[in-house]
Amino acid sequence: MGEPYCPWRQWEDYLYEIVLAGRFAGKSYIGAARHVLYVEHHPKSTNLIAAPDYTTIHRGTLPALELVLERQGFYRGTHYELNWTRQEIIWWNGAKTLFVSLDDKKAGRSIRAA
């Protein structure tokens, strides 16, 4: 019989997810894990990590991402390079992740990325 009909299945990569939870519930960790999986499966892609401000990225998002990477055996300098001057990560497979702060009014305008 096959799978049930799901009109959105072919567009799953383009769906946006939202995770709502309280403080210290693991939102950053789960988001980081999903991001690493996406980067692994989409070489040479351009990706975004957006946060309300760069303080949030430094205090929560980036430490969670590095924790996920370390637990999966990926290390800075070997598997990825963090270039904070350009606000990006260059991955071993040619993918690129850009950090975007939503407090910059121009940050979310006209961005084209995976």
Side-chain angles (χ1 to χ4, degrees):
M1 271 187 53
E3 292 185 46
Y5 174 70
C6 291
W8 64 83
R9 186 158 322 271
Q10 64 181 340
W11 303 106
E12 277 183 356
D13 274 350
Y14 301 100
L15 293 177
Y16 296 97
E17 295 180 3
I18 184 168
V19 178
L20 302 173
R23 295 183 69 196
F24 303 105
K27 298 180 298 292
S28 295
Y29 187 84
I30 294 300
R34 180 137 165 59
H35 186 76
V36 172
L37 283 173
Y38 191 88
V39 166
E40 277 190 287
H41 289 93
H42 296 85
K44 298 183 181 176
S45 61
T46 300
N47 309 282
L48 298 176
I49 293 180
D53 51 45
Y54 287 115
T55 302
T56 302
I57 292 173
H58 281 291
R59 289 186 182 167
T61 309
L62 194 54
L65 182 61
E66 289 193 304
L67 180 63
V68 168
L69 289 166
E70 186 178 312
R71 288 182 177 175
Q72 294 299 318
F74 297 104
Y75 298 101
R76 188 189 291 193
T78 304
H79 300 100
Y80 68 98
E81 282 296 328
L82 175 62
N83 183 340
W84 195 247
T85 305
R86 296 189 60 194
Q87 301 165 357
E88 67 183 14
I89 296 177
I90 304 297
W91 300 94
W92 78 98
N93 63 0
K96 183 188 293 189
T97 298
L98 306 173
F99 293 100
V100 178
S101 169
L102 299 178
D103 61 358
D104 178 3
K105 293 178 181 164
K106 297 178 185 176
R109 299 176 68 90
S110 302
I111 292 176
R112 300 191 192 287

